[in-house]
Amino acid sequence: IFSRIVSLYTEQNDLQYAVPGGLIGVGMKIDPTLCRADRLVGQVLGGVGALPDIFTELEISYFLLRRLLGVRTEGDKQGAKVAKLTNNEVLMVNIGSLSTGGRVLAIRADLAKIALTQPVCTQKGERIALSRRVEKHWRLIGWGQIQRGVTIPPETVDAAPPQGQ
């Protein structure tokens, strides 16, 4: 989506510029239907050509928890053990504030290759959280760090965006 930023706000303050480390409202000239129902949660905003790569597959180094958080097995005061990742398993991958699905393509020692259900704008070295569906709930099973992946080029428009947009 190409747009022009028309305002920046934090709480009741009108900002001239933004710095990392807080919640900032960004006023843009885009169709409000694109923003309804939190559709842009987790998306990255930046200048043209200044954003990180867009990944469709990730290769991560990961660490699994020993036991599930918030789940108890019968007669056991501790949580259920976390099973190892398996090929074709569907996981929820959290990268920053973005949650997306992922299918495990390959596993080797502490490395895993995951195909994402939607492209993600992120960078190598970014930390991610891994969750598995357990009894109809997503449960945190571990975390990882992006090592490399398959990227796609951003879709660009041949002509410049209209002046008012």
Side-chain angles (χ1 to χ4, degrees):
I1 301 173
F2 288 94
S3 182
R4 218 174 267 292
I5 295 175
V6 294
S7 62
L8 296 172
Y9 284 97
T10 179
E11 294 180 12
Q12 301 297 329
N13 304 321
D14 190 11
L15 301 175
Q16 298 302 313
Y17 60 91
V19 295
L23 295 176
I24 298 171
V26 180
M28 297 185 293
K29 292 193 167 201
I30 61 173
D31 186 357
T33 58
L34 295 172
C35 306
R36 77 169 196 261
D38 289 337
R39 287 186 183 163
L40 294 181
V41 166
Q43 300 301 318
V44 180
L45 178 71
V48 177
L51 291 171
D53 292 329
I54 301 169
F55 290 90
T56 56
E57 287 183 10
L58 297 176
E59 191 169 316
I60 62 167
S61 59
Y62 69 94
F63 176 81
L64 296 179
L65 299 171
R66 288 186 186 91
R67 299 199 174 269
L68 285 174
L69 300 172
V71 176
R72 293 227 170 107
T73 55
E74 287 192 32
D76 193 358
K77 296 197 178 203
Q78 297 179 337
K81 290 193 175 191
V82 174
K84 293 182 178 180
L85 297 181
T86 58
N87 282 337
N88 288 325
E89 179 179 14
V90 176
L91 300 174
M92 181 168 59
V93 180
N94 292 75
I95 305 170
S97 60
L98 178 74
S99 298
T100 186
R103 182 174 300 279
V104 178
L105 299 177
I107 306 155
R108 188 174 66 236
D110 66 338
L111 293 176
K113 191 175 212 175
I114 299 174
L116 302 170
T117 56
Q118 69 183 38
V120 174
C121 183
T122 188
Q123 55 194 357
K124 294 175 186 170
E126 184 83 26
R127 293 191 181 274
I128 66 171
L130 302 172
S131 299
R132 177 182 283 153
R133 197 102 161 136
V134 177
E135 297 172 6
K136 299 181 184 176
H137 297 285
W138 289 105
R139 300 290 182 185
L140 179 69
I141 61 163
W143 61 87
Q145 190 168 24
I146 299 171
Q147 301 300 316
R148 63 189 70 83
V150 176
T151 61
I152 58 172
E155 293 178 9
T156 56
V157 183
D158 292 337
Q163 288 297 327
Q165 298 291 312

